[in-house]
């Protein structure tokens, strides 16, 4: 049973809860904010906003997070422009994704819209070629499927990958011819 008498029970004011949270955070995460950020960056590159969100969720204070992120930016470990280019190159080159999908991913990861537009702007010119390449690669797997269903599956795949519907249909049609 909990005692609700003054000074004898677990009832705490806001300051007490904040201190208890700090103690819990320290016990749970003995690493500093900077060390935690480095650990997150060791797994994969991240945008500044992604790091900020993860560090805030870990319970670090805002001023400590800002200091750690500024320090990482000064040494070049946090660079949203380089991060956006890296993600775009991977998605366009390896995954053959469309501009819409890459833009959405970058915006979701906290990259500024102006930077996203700059990074994916040049890639829009090769959109048809990437769609054709992906469609040709996948069309080979659909040889035993009836043509109408193969077209539907292929164009749906391309749309899921971020291609505009008309681009997806044209690429699917060319690949299945």
């Amino acid at each position: 049973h909990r005692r609700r008498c003054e000074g004898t029970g677990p009832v705490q004011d806001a300051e007490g809860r904040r201190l208890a949270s700090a103690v819990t955070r320290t016990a749970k995460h003995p690493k500093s904010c900077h060390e935690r950020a480095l650990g997150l960056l060791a797994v994969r590159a991240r945008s500044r906003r992604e790091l900020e969100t993860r560090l805030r969720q870990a319970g670090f204070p805002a001023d400590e997070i800002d200091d750690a992120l500024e320090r990482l930016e000064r040494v070049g470990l946090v660079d949203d422009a380089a991060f956006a280019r890296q993600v775009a190159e991977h998605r366009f080159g390896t995954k053959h994704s469309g501009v819409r999908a890459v833009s959405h991913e970058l915006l979701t990861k906290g990259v500024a819209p102006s930077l996203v537009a700059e990074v994916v702007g040049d890639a829009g010119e090769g959109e048809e070629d990437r769609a054709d390449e992906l469609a040709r690669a996948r069309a080979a797997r659909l040889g035993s499927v009836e043509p109408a269903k193969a077209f539907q599956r292929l164009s749906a795949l391309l749309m899921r990958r971020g291609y505009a519907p008309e681009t997806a249909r044209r690429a699917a049609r060319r690949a299945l011819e």
Side-chain angles (χ1 to χ4, degrees), residues 17 19 47-48 51 54 60 72 108-109 126 158 170:
R17 284 191 301 273
L19 289 173
S47 71
R48 179 183 170 94
L51 282 172
R54 293 288 300 266
F60 292 104
L72 292 170
T108 301
K109 291 180 183 286
L158 291 165
R170 282 194 302 268

Side-chain angles (χ1 to χ4, degrees), residues 34-76:
H34 181 75
E35 290 171 332
R36 181 72 178 255
L38 286 173
L40 290 168
L41 288 170
V43 174
R44 69 170 176 84
R46 295 175 195 271
S47 71
R48 179 183 170 94
R49 185 167 303 144
E50 276 186 295
L51 282 172
E52 184 179 348
T53 302
R54 293 288 300 266
L55 294 172
R56 194 177 316 118
Q57 288 172 348
F60 292 104
D63 58 334
E64 206 175 318
I65 293 170
D66 289 339
D67 290 344
L69 292 178
E70 286 173 15
R71 186 173 163 194
L72 292 170
E73 282 180 329
R74 278 195 306 271
V75 297

